[in-house]
Amino acid sequence: MKNISLIGSTGSIGTQTLEVIESNSNLNVTALTANSNVDLLAKQIRKFKPTFACVADKNRYSELKSAVADLPVKLSAGYDGLIEAATLDESDTVLTAIVGNAGLELTVEAIKSKKNIALANKETLVTAGEIIIPLCKENNVSLLPVDSEHSAIFQCLNGEDRGAIRKIILTASGGPFYGKTSEQLENVTVSDALNHPNWSMGNKITIDS
């Protein structure tokens, strides 16, 4: 049985992770955290019965407390609560599904607490890979990619002779401006950029991409 702290349980990756956990009897949720979506977090707490839960937005704490007052779950709020979720004694694996550099310190603290890391937060490795990877080796924990491109690469390389691989080529999925000329790109709008033909990930991530 793997006991999992899920950091960012109400986002796209978090909800998909819970679907996987629900269908696998060898996986158990010990902690759930959300940024501010108290309604969904409360539903997840009722369904998966973690021992600990945290809402990062301190202003929503009382709302969460009221929503699950009848359940035997320890609650917290703010960044200290996220750290507690990432270092919880009962957990052996921490899945970080929050975006941006916010996941970096949480990942570091989880590794120091000897937790295996399931990493959906790519920014952690992009900005601090030279810290994270040696730290995993030092603490003898696994670092597993669980989202999009980095997981696809990991799965392609699994079982292969790494020494025989000279390069890895990633190709884009083709966005709204694929094949456009420089002249055609001069007057594009936000609406044009949001009109992605292949996936829907919300306005911020679509524009960032």
Side-chain angles (χ1 to χ4, degrees):
M1 176 73 71
K2 288 189 180 297
N3 293 313
I4 299 171
S5 285
L6 177 50
I7 312 298
S9 66
T10 59
S12 173
I13 295 167
T15 54
Q16 290 177 62
T17 298
L18 289 175
E19 289 177 8
V20 173
I21 290 173
E22 188 177 11
S23 64
N24 192 321
S25 60
N26 292 323
L27 302 177
N28 176 56
V29 177
T30 46
L32 293 172
T33 81
N35 182 39
S36 61
N37 191 342
V38 166
D39 291 341
L40 181 53
L41 179 59
K43 290 176 182 176
Q44 292 174 342
I45 292 170
R46 289 192 175 279
K47 186 170 186 176
F48 292 94
K49 299 177 173 56
T51 59
F52 180 85
C54 170
V55 58
D57 184 348
K58 293 182 178 181
N59 295 324
R60 307 298 299 275
Y61 175 74
S62 59
E63 191 178 338
L64 177 64
K65 186 176 180 180
S66 297
V68 295
D70 58 317
L71 299 178
V73 56
K74 181 182 177 182
L75 300 177
S76 186
Y79 198 73
D80 287 345
L82 297 180
I83 292 289
E84 186 172 353
T87 58
L88 200 66
D89 287 342
E90 302 96 295
S91 301
D92 50 61
T93 300
V94 175
L95 195 151
T96 57
I98 57 177
V99 298
N101 287 333
L104 177 54
E105 184 179 356
L106 297 175
T107 303
V108 168
E109 293 303 318
I111 294 169
K112 288 180 178 178
S113 295
K114 312 296 184 183
K115 311 300 183 187
N116 292 316
I117 305 298
L119 193 67
N121 177 272
K122 293 183 284 289
E123 292 88 349
T124 293
L125 288 185
V126 171
T127 59
E130 71 235 17
I131 296 172
I132 295 297
I133 293 174
L135 195 61
C136 285
K137 292 178 180 178
E138 179 184 329
N139 287 277
N140 195 31
V141 300
S142 298
L143 178 66
L144 300 172
V146 295
D147 180 43
S148 62
E149 298 88 356
H150 59 169
S151 182
I153 296 168
F154 174 76
Q155 292 176 62
C156 286
L157 294 179
N158 194 27
E160 299 294 333
D161 176 9
R162 301 293 178 89
I165 298 169
R166 186 164 55 88
K167 66 171 66 173
I168 297 169
I169 300 173
L170 292 180
T171 60
S173 61
F177 306 130
Y178 180 73
K180 302 291 185 183
T181 65
S182 297
E183 291 75 19
Q184 290 173 319
L185 294 175
E186 287 181 0
N187 298 305
V188 297
T189 65
V190 171
S191 296
D192 293 332
L194 290 173
N195 189 29
H196 198 289
N198 295 317
W199 46 256
S200 177
M201 293 289 285
N203 291 359
K204 183 183 186 304
I205 294 177
T206 301
I207 294 298
D208 287 351
S209 296

